[in-house]
């Protein structure tokens, strides 16, 4: 939708049967999930590895409540990366789950669920690239970013101002598990429902708001309130 005072939903890419059928035709079914096929597909010039993949240290997990659900999508992207063919090719997610001390099997994700989550992320990645091609000067706000490596998958120019925003515990975990992104990328450790963080942002340009995993956890009042604050703060509009 566009941030011009009203929302115009794009529809749910998750329900595109043709895309799902195409995945099935390519052989990405239950039996293929779990085949190891590691890959890194992003230009290394835009990020700096911070660890030795040959002997990754374990990172203890200290997330509670809704924060813990970010591990579901992380695990799905990692399993998709091991599938042949992969939809998202997210090698950083695969690397991250190898380093986290957590029982991911408890999620019980099916092959269909893994494909669906990977496809949703791939569609949103595509929308993000298209929006930045249209307005490269946009400020990108990735709300409730979790451990999503979207900034590495989309790989915008180093001059794109991109902010990953989540709870302080999540941001600390991102810094432990993901590489350091170069350029104008930064993180903001806050609850997105706090009233003051939006007011501190520059508002002299359009905004691109990404909120893939946020709104299902907000009631209607809080969702409307968050969108209202964004609309009022960015007079030049943008996209959500």
């Amino acid at each position: 939708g566009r941030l011009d005072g009203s929302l115009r939903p794009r529809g749910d890419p998750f329900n595109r049967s043709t895309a799902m059928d195409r995945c099935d035709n390519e052989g990405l079914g239950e039996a293929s999930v779990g085949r190891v096929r590691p890959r890194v597909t992003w230009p290394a010039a835009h990020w700096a590895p911070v660890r030795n993949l040959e002997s990754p240290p374990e990172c203890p997990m200290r997330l509670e409540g809704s924060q813990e659900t970010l591990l579901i999508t992380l695990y799905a992207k990692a399993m998709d990366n091991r599938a042949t063919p992969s939809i998202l090719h997210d090698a950083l997610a695969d690397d991250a789950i190898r380093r986290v001390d957590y029982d991911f099997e408890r999620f019980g994700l099916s092959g269909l669920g893994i494909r669906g989550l990977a496809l949703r992320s791939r569609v949103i990645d595509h929308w993000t690239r298209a929006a930045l091609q249209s307005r490269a000067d946009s400020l990108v706000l990735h709300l409730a970013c979790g451990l999503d490596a979207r900034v590495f998958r989309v790989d915008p120019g180093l001059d794109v101002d991109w902010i990953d925003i989540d709870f302080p515990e999540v941001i600390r975990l991102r810094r432990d598990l993901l590489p350091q992104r170069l350029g104008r990328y930064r993180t903001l450790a806050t609850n997105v429902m706090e009233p003051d963080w939006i007011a501190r942002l520059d508002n002299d340009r359009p905004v691109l708001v990404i909120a893939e995993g946020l709104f299902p956890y907000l009631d209607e009042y809080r969702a409307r309130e968050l969108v209202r604050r964004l609309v009022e703060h960015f007079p030049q509009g943008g996209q959500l």
Side-chain angles (χ1 to χ4, degrees):
R2 297 186 179 275
L3 292 181
D4 57 2
S6 63
L7 290 179
R8 301 189 183 101
R10 298 175 181 268
D12 185 2
F14 209 67
N15 291 329
R16 295 184 180 180
S17 59
T18 54
M20 297 298 286
D21 291 343
R22 182 167 62 253
C23 292
D24 287 336
N25 292 336
E26 291 175 352
L28 184 57
E30 293 251 9
S32 66
V33 175
R35 295 184 207 163
V36 178
R37 188 180 178 187
R39 59 178 70 79
V40 176
T41 60
W42 312 292
H46 289 184
W47 56 279
V50 294
R51 57 194 176 277
N52 179 0
L53 300 186
E54 296 300 323
S55 181
E58 288 190 349
C59 182
M61 184 58 56
R62 299 185 181 90
L63 301 177
E64 297 180 355
S66 62
Q67 297 176 33
E68 194 172 13
T69 62
L70 65 86
L71 299 174
I72 299 175
T73 53
L74 178 70
Y75 181 65
K77 292 166 187 172
M79 293 300 97
D80 167 72
N81 188 66
R82 301 180 191 184
T84 306
S86 169
I87 294 175
L88 199 59
H89 306 287
D90 194 336
L92 289 180
D94 198 350
D95 174 36
I97 69 164
R98 299 176 192 272
R99 304 180 64 238
V100 171
D101 183 14
Y102 190 86
D103 179 18
F104 289 97
E105 294 295 331
R106 64 192 291 262
F107 295 138
L109 288 178
S110 66
L112 181 62
I114 289 169
R115 292 201 307 277
L117 289 169
L119 179 60
R120 183 182 72 180
S121 290
R122 178 170 172 172
V123 170
I124 295 176
D125 286 356
H126 173 74
W127 286 345
T128 302
R129 292 188 191 97
L132 289 176
Q133 287 174 0
S134 174
R135 289 298 302 266
D137 60 333
S138 296
L139 170 64
V140 182
L141 302 179
H142 191 189
L143 307 185
C145 60
L147 297 177
D148 189 3
R150 171 161 287 121
V151 68
F152 299 99
R153 296 193 307 269
V154 173
D155 194 38
L158 296 180
D159 58 338
V160 171
D161 201 349
W162 181 305
I163 309 177
D164 275 338
I165 307 168
D166 213 315
F167 290 105
E169 299 85 355
V170 177
I171 294 300
R172 283 195 292 268
L173 198 57
R174 283 187 67 91
R175 291 169 180 167
D176 288 340
L177 293 175
L178 296 178
Q180 177 184 359
R181 167 77 184 186
L182 306 180
R184 300 184 66 183
Y185 170 79
R186 51 200 160 117
T187 58
L188 178 60
T190 187
N191 181 343
V192 297
M193 294 309 302
E194 292 294 328
D196 58 343
W197 67 271
I198 295 177
R200 299 197 299 267
L201 300 175
D202 295 335
N203 62 353
D204 57 351
R205 51 185 162 159
V207 65
L208 171 60
V209 181
I210 308 168
E212 179 177 1
L214 174 62
F215 287 106
Y217 296 96
L218 302 180
D219 57 31
E220 182 178 355
Y221 171 79
R222 293 195 298 165
R224 287 180 177 273
E225 180 66 13
L226 177 57
V227 173
R228 182 191 65 79
R229 291 174 188 165
L230 290 166
V231 170
E232 291 180 353
H233 185 71
F234 292 98
Q236 295 198 34
Q239 298 187 52
L240 171 63

